[in-house]
């Protein structure tokens, strides 16, 4: 029986060898790996779909194998998070990872299957089919619902390839589309390998095109080396453990311990950086309410007594609650970002998190069906904010508008576009990545967040509980980065441009989808016409 199963899997592995290869290439070319196969990682999968023996069904399953393998490599941290955050046994956590790998990135097999169907339906050539699949993939990855949005575009900023500077024109989704089209081009060259001269010519043109992309990005990025304002922000990373965070959130102690730890680290940081203009603490760093009408609470008074001698304002994650309007009905608690002075006074209304984490901060469908909360009372149920919103800080040197992002709100391009449209001068991202341990996630999350600064050309400061804390300027310069899972503080001199112009991407968003659809339609029409002329 065992031998029979072994032979079965061996046979299937051979059938899907190119799909498996693509999965490995993609998984090992994404953050935190060097993007060594960026322009050909999907090519083996797509070439297998152009074979005459390939059917729609076979193409779908080949794509499914690819997405399973690459997800297993890049998202192995799902198991750790399920165990650490969801308190699941390791066996259940690994099952959760396998389910995630099986269903989360189905747009990859859907694009391959749809491209195969179009090839068979309109008699497309192998080269045409490759570009059709690439275009379908680029379009589907923009709309497919996923928990942790990712694509090849982020590898440009991770690897410091200057092409990432073009993101203020086409977004990082646009850069991903370009990378996918290069994959199709590499496949086309492979199909022409029997015609040496033509293949070498195409390869030369591809290399020159890629070099031109890099050069254009470098030249374009130089235009953002203009600054006329600066602020010295000191970030405090307290490295609070998960158990303490959970107990503090549940009101089971540790609030005072955590508050005093942040205050002590801040006091020491100001001894090192006395010229600090503002302190920045991470997501829910202050484990209590910080609204103006709740400043008389015990932990809030401890915070104020510690801040007063520091004499600098603070941006921090904390909890927020509206004043009660009905004594019989309590209002929702929000995960929020506050800007307060050294006396604890709110300098502007807090920003309340809008993009909540499913199963971590809200139960899907519970807003439509409240009875679900009674069935699963252990799932947190935070209120939803009305973001994006900016917080205004008036100071003698000039007003600064802070564009707040809480945790993975930094992954949503449209959210940050909204902050820019509302006049944000500096973006501030507060995060708690302690749930992911020493996996790939902290690096992935970091560069996905930094990418937003390039799309809108605003500096961004990132304050985390366990790392990685850092800052990036509008010209793409990444400042010092904190170590993972260590107490740390550092000062960032944030240079910015007052009244900075709104980028083309902020104005028009993902406008290039129209171009992609037009190219897709043109390829299909041309293929159909050529097929008809061959038949006649």
């Amino acid at each position: 029986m065992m031998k029979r199963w072994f032979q079965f899997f061996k046979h299937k592995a051979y059938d899907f060898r190119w799909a498996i290869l693509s999965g490995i290439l993609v998984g090992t070319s994404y953050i935190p790996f060097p993007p060594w196969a960026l322009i050909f990682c999907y090519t083996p999968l797509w070439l297998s779909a152009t074979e005459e023996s390939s059917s729609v069904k076979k193409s779908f399953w080949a794509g499914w194998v690819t997405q399973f393998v690459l997800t297993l490599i890049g998202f192995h941290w799902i198991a750790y998070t399920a165990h650490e955050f969801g308190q699941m046994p390791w066996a259940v956590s690994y099952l959760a990872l396998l389910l995630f790998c099986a269903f989360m990135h189905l747009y990859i097999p859907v694009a391959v299957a749809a491209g195969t169907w179009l090839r068979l339906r309109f008699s497309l050539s192998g080269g045409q089919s490759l570009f059709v699949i690439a275009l379908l993939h680029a379009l589907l990855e923009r709309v497919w619902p996923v928990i942790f949005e990712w694509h090849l575009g982020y590898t440009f900023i991770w690897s410091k390839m200057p092409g990432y500077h073009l993101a203020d024109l086409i977004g990082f989704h646009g850069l991903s589309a370009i990378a996918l089209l290069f994959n199709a081009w590499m496949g086309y060259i492979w199909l022409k390998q029997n015609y040496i001269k033509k293949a070498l010519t195409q390869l030369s043109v591809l290399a020159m095109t890629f070099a031109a992309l890099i050069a254009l990005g470098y030249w374009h990025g130089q235009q953002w080396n203009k600054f006329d304002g600066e602020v010295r922000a000191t970030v405090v990373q307290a490295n609070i453990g998960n158990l303490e965070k959970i107990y503090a959130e549940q009101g089971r102690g540790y609030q005072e311990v955590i508050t005093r730890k942040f205050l002590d680290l801040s006091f020491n940081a100001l001894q090192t950086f006395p010229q600090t203009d503002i302190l920045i603490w991470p997501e829910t760093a202050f484990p209590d309410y910080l609204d103006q009408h709740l400043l008389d609470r015990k932990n809030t008074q401890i915070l104020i007594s510690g801040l007063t001698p520091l004499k600098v304002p603070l941006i921090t994650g904390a909890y927020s609650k509206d004043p009660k309007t009905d004594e019989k009905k309590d209002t929702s608690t929000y995960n929020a970002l506050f800007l307060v002075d050294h006396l604890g006074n709110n300098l502007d209304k807090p920003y309340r998190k809008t993009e909540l984490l499913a199963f971590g901060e809200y139960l899907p469908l519970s807003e439509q069906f409240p009875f679900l909360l009674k069935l699963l009372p252990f799932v947190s149920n935070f209120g939803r904010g009305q973001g994006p919103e900016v917080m205004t800080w008036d100071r003698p040197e000039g007003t600064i508008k802070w564009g707040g992002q809480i945790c993975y709100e930094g992954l949503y391009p449209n959210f940050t576009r909204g902050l820019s449209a509302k006049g944000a001068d500096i973006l501030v991202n507060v995060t708690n990545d302690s749930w992911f341990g020493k996996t790939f996630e902290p690096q992935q999350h970091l560069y996905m967040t930094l990418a937003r600064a390039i799309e809108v050309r605003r500096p961004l400061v990132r304050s985390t509980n366990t790392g990685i804390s850092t800052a990036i300027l509008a010209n793409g310069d990444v400042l010092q980065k904190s170590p993972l899972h260590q107490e740390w503080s550092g000062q960032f001199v944030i240079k910015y441009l007052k009244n900075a112009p709104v980028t083309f991407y902020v104005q028009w968003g993902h406008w290039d989808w129209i171009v992609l659809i037009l190219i897709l339609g043109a390829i299909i029409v041309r293929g159909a016409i050529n097929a008809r002329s061959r038949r006649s």
Side-chain angles (χ1 to χ4, degrees):
M1 184 68 177
M2 184 65 69
K3 184 177 181 181
R4 189 181 304 169
W5 277 106
F6 176 78
Q7 291 297 329
F8 173 78
F9 283 112
K10 182 179 179 181
H11 176 71
K12 288 299 180 182
Y14 181 80
D15 284 348
F16 292 112
R17 60 193 181 281
W18 301 121
I20 294 171
L21 176 60
S22 269
I24 295 172
L25 294 179
V26 178
T28 59
S29 296
Y30 195 66
I31 306 167
F33 297 106
W36 67 282
L38 174 64
I39 63 172
F40 61 86
C41 52
Y42 282 107
T43 302
L45 167 67
W46 295 351
L47 282 172
S48 69
T50 65
E51 296 174 354
E52 290 190 12
S53 61
S54 182
S55 64
V56 173
K57 181 179 179 180
K58 185 177 180 180
S59 293
F60 177 86
W61 284 111
W64 183 88
V65 169
T66 293
Q67 69 92 31
F68 186 91
V69 173
L70 71 87
T71 306
L72 191 62
I73 296 172
F75 292 84
H76 64 277
W77 48 264
I78 291 294
Y80 184 92
T81 306
H83 175 73
E84 192 74 16
F85 187 74
Q87 302 295 300
M88 297 179 184
W90 276 113
V92 179
S93 298
Y94 285 124
L95 177 60
L97 170 62
L98 294 177
L99 289 173
F100 184 89
C101 294
F103 296 107
M104 189 47 59
H105 301 118
L106 292 180
Y107 62 87
I108 295 173
V110 168
V112 180
T116 302
W117 182 85
L118 289 169
R119 175 177 66 84
L120 298 173
R121 176 66 176 81
F122 296 102
S123 301
L124 302 180
S125 67
Q128 290 170 331
S129 299
L130 289 168
F131 284 96
V132 164
I133 294 172
L135 291 165
L136 288 171
H137 185 128
L139 291 166
L140 285 174
E141 73 178 6
R142 302 184 183 203
V143 298
W144 201 271
V146 293
I147 294 176
F148 199 78
E149 186 178 279
W150 72 281
H151 48 70
L152 295 179
Y154 291 120
T155 58
F156 284 86
I157 187 171
W158 155 249
S159 60
K160 299 181 181 179
M161 281 190 287
Y164 75 82
H165 283 294
L166 300 176
D168 61 16
L169 300 174
I170 59 177
F172 278 86
H173 267 301
L175 290 174
S176 180
I178 290 174
L180 293 169
L181 289 171
F182 272 111
N183 274 258
W185 197 348
M186 287 292 290
Y188 176 76
I189 293 171
W190 180 266
L191 292 177
K192 299 299 179 182
Q193 61 179 302
N194 292 331
Y195 305 93
I196 302 298
K197 185 176 180 179
K198 187 170 185 179
L200 289 176
T201 300
Q202 287 290 326
L203 188 60
S204 299
V205 175
L206 182 149
M208 288 188 290
T209 303
F210 193 80
L213 176 71
I214 300 301
L216 180 61
Y218 177 81
W219 173 81
H220 182 70
Q222 296 302 303
Q223 303 176 43
W224 295 97
N225 287 318
K226 300 175 183 177
F227 314 102
D228 57 11
E230 70 175 41
V231 60
R232 294 178 294 273
T234 295
V235 170
V236 175
Q237 178 177 300
N239 196 36
I240 304 297
N242 289 331
L243 189 62
E244 291 93 329
K245 294 285 291 184
I246 292 173
Y247 284 168
E249 182 179 324
Q250 296 173 348
R252 296 164 58 186
Y254 286 98
Q255 291 99 327
E256 181 175 343
V257 173
I258 293 173
T259 301
R260 292 192 183 279
K261 185 173 184 179
F262 270 103
L263 287 170
D264 290 343
L265 289 171
S266 297
F267 177 83
N268 293 332
L270 290 183
Q271 301 302 304
T272 306
F273 311 110
Q275 301 301 314
T276 295
D277 296 314
I278 192 166
L279 282 167
I280 303 179
W281 294 358
E283 180 183 13
T284 60
F286 178 62
D288 207 335
Y289 298 104
L290 197 48
D291 302 279
Q292 191 70 34
H293 64 280
L294 295 171
L295 295 185
D296 58 349
R297 294 171 65 87
K298 172 188 173 183
N299 293 307
T300 311
Q301 286 298 306
I302 293 174
L303 174 68
I304 293 172
S305 65
L307 282 179
T308 300
L310 301 183
K311 296 183 179 180
V312 294
L314 168 70
I315 292 177
T316 182
Y319 299 108
S320 177
K321 185 185 286 286
D322 289 323
K324 291 182 179 180
T325 55
D326 184 348
E327 291 296 330
K328 297 180 180 179
K329 183 180 180 181
D330 202 3
T331 53
S332 294
T333 292
Y334 298 87
N335 183 353
L337 186 63
F338 286 82
L339 170 60
V340 300
D341 65 15
H342 66 286
L343 298 176
N345 295 308
N346 290 201
L347 297 178
D348 200 348
K349 65 179 182 178
Y351 163 65
R352 293 168 167 177
K353 189 174 182 181
T354 304
E355 301 293 343
L356 303 180
L357 178 64
F359 300 105
E361 294 174 316
Y362 82 103
L363 181 63
L365 301 178
S366 64
E367 295 174 353
Q368 293 78 19
F369 307 102
F371 73 90
L372 293 175
L373 293 173
K374 296 181 180 180
L375 298 177
L376 300 168
F378 54 86
V379 177
S380 298
N381 185 39
F382 284 95
R384 190 180 298 274
Q386 302 297 316
E389 296 176 353
V390 297
M391 299 185 300
T392 301
W393 178 30
D394 294 318
R395 61 181 192 140
E397 296 83 353
T399 298
I400 292 180
K401 291 184 177 181
W402 297 90
Q405 309 166 340
I406 299 178
C407 195
Y408 85 148
E409 286 179 329
L411 305 188
Y412 292 92
N414 288 339
F415 184 91
T416 304
R417 285 176 61 210
L419 292 174
S420 177
K422 289 192 174 183
D425 298 301
I426 302 173
L427 306 175
V428 57
N429 178 273
V430 295
T431 295
N432 176 30
D433 274 351
S434 63
W435 312 106
F436 304 101
K438 296 181 180 180
T439 62
F440 293 171
E441 194 278 347
Q443 291 278 5
Q444 293 171 347
H445 194 179
L446 167 65
Y447 279 92
M448 291 177 177
T449 301
L450 297 184
R452 304 286 82 82
I454 305 302
E455 289 175 335
V456 304
R457 292 296 179 180
R458 299 293 187 273
L460 182 149
V461 188
R462 188 171 193 256
S463 177
T464 67
N465 174 34
T466 56
I468 304 167
S469 302
T470 188
I472 183 173
L473 303 183
N475 64 358
D477 288 346
V478 178
L479 307 184
Q480 64 172 318
K481 291 184 284 189
S482 72
L484 271 171
H485 303 289
Q486 295 181 29
E487 294 178 7
W488 176 89
S489 62
Q491 185 181 89
F492 301 104
V493 179
I494 308 300
K495 298 179 180 180
Y496 66 99
L497 184 63
K498 299 175 183 176
N499 301 312
V502 174
T503 66
F504 187 86
Y505 177 73
V506 170
Q507 290 180 308
W508 298 100
H510 296 110
W511 57 273
D512 58 315
W513 67 268
I514 299 175
V515 178
L516 299 180
I517 288 179
L518 289 175
I519 297 174
L520 177 63
I523 293 175
I524 294 172
V525 170
R526 181 177 179 180
I529 292 174
N530 289 343
R532 181 175 297 178
S533 63
R534 287 195 298 268
R535 288 194 296 267
S536 61

